[in-house]
Amino acid sequence: MHKLKTLHQLPNDWHKVLKKQCLLPELSSTIEKIQKDIKQNKKIFPEVNNIYKALELCSYEKTKVVIFGQDPYHKEGQANGLAFGVNPNIKIPPSLRNIYKEINDDIGSCKYNLGNLEGWASQGVLLLNSSLSVCESKPNSHKNYGWDKLIFSIIKSLNNKREVIFILWGKDSIEKENLIDLDVNFVLKAAHPSPLSSYRGFFGCKHFSLTNEILVSLGKNPITW
């Protein structure tokens, strides 16, 4: 239970920013639902201390790019708290493999190609899942746990920050477009990189080079993908 208490405090400057802007959602209900699952001996992924990993590695101040995933990987040892990323020495999942393929086709090289995407996060890429937790072997099992309130608050705070690039892949992510202030931010949209949809518009989207072009035009450092 002591680990769950840490979920009441967002890492980095996120807690201060959301609280100052009166956007901090009530997390108690979400945490209580996770606690109930744990009491029923259900495995939760990622580990509790990694649930806020995306916010921990990419502060509000540092965020330049946001990439949304759906929910964490639901098999043992995979999820590390970063959307699309996996723990070291884990087989690269199909969607991430397709992301790597598009990077190579788009810009000719991919530096962080071993599954762990902390290198992206450290450069200001917020790798945020729509749900920050999941039960083992049950995708979308925490979809209605209240994480959407936190995601809404994060997007709204980034609207205030301005000049953020939101990369939206697939229906679930594209639905978030109506929360984004398009007058002050940038949105890149494409099909999801899943093998089921990657050939319907993800491959060839060139989001990685386009993102860097926008960043350079804003006087910011491009991302080393």
Side-chain angles (χ1 to χ4, degrees):
M1 177 59 191
H2 66 286
K3 287 185 178 180
L4 286 175
K5 286 183 178 179
T6 64
L7 296 181
H8 289 278
Q9 180 77 28
L10 299 178
N12 248 316
D13 53 359
W14 287 103
H15 199 95
K16 182 179 179 181
V17 167
L18 266 61
K19 188 174 183 179
K20 183 178 180 180
Q21 297 178 3
C22 299
L23 295 173
L24 191 64
E26 179 54 63
L27 294 170
S28 297
S29 175
T30 302
I31 296 167
E32 286 172 5
K33 290 172 183 174
I34 294 174
Q35 181 184 2
K36 184 177 179 181
D37 283 340
I38 292 174
K39 283 184 176 180
Q40 294 175 353
N41 294 317
K42 296 178 181 177
K43 283 189 177 182
I44 304 299
F45 298 134
E47 294 182 2
V48 171
N49 61 336
N50 283 331
I51 284 178
Y52 291 151
K53 180 64 73 175
L55 303 175
E56 179 185 324
L57 295 180
C58 186
S59 68
Y60 171 83
E61 182 64 30
K62 201 170 186 177
T63 299
K64 300 187 292 187
V65 180
V66 183
I67 298 178
F68 287 109
Q70 187 167 318
D71 63 345
Y73 297 115
H74 54 86
K75 293 184 179 179
E76 184 77 45
Q78 288 185 310
N80 64 3
L82 300 180
F84 295 105
V86 290
N87 283 315
N89 303 314
I90 296 294
K91 183 179 179 181
I92 307 297
S95 290
L96 183 54
R97 192 162 59 243
N98 284 339
I99 290 171
Y100 286 154
K101 181 181 186 304
E102 175 60 22
I103 292 173
N104 285 315
D105 291 346
D106 183 12
I107 61 176
S109 64
C110 179
K111 180 176 180 180
Y112 299 100
N113 58 3
L114 299 179
N116 186 318
L117 301 179
E118 291 186 8
W120 293 3
S122 68
Q123 298 176 77
V125 181
L126 183 61
L127 296 158
L128 197 61
N129 281 314
S130 296
S131 293
L132 301 190
S133 58
V134 71
C135 279
E136 182 179 26
S137 301
K138 292 184 177 180
N140 282 324
S141 51
H142 289 186
K143 183 177 181 179
N144 298 318
Y145 274 29
W147 287 124
D148 57 318
K149 297 175 184 176
L150 176 59
I151 302 305
F152 170 80
S153 297
I154 289 172
I155 294 173
K156 197 165 184 180
S157 72
L158 291 172
N159 282 334
N160 294 329
K161 180 181 173 72
R162 307 163 72 94
E163 295 186 342
V164 176
I165 303 168
F166 291 87
I167 298 178
L168 311 179
W169 295 329
K171 182 176 179 292
D172 182 72
S173 291
I174 291 173
E175 286 177 351
K176 294 177 177 61
E177 184 177 15
N178 63 353
L179 302 174
I180 300 167
D181 187 342
L182 302 178
D183 291 330
V184 296
N185 297 302
F186 303 86
V187 170
L188 300 175
K189 296 183 290 185
H192 195 275
S194 160
L196 297 175
S197 57
S198 55
Y199 286 95
R200 297 203 300 265
F202 176 75
F203 288 138
C205 69
K206 298 188 179 298
H207 281 179
F208 304 97
S209 60
L210 288 171
T211 293
N212 282 346
E213 287 174 13
I214 294 170
L215 290 173
V216 170
S217 74
L218 295 171
K220 300 178 182 180
N221 291 328
I223 305 298
T224 298
W225 301 105

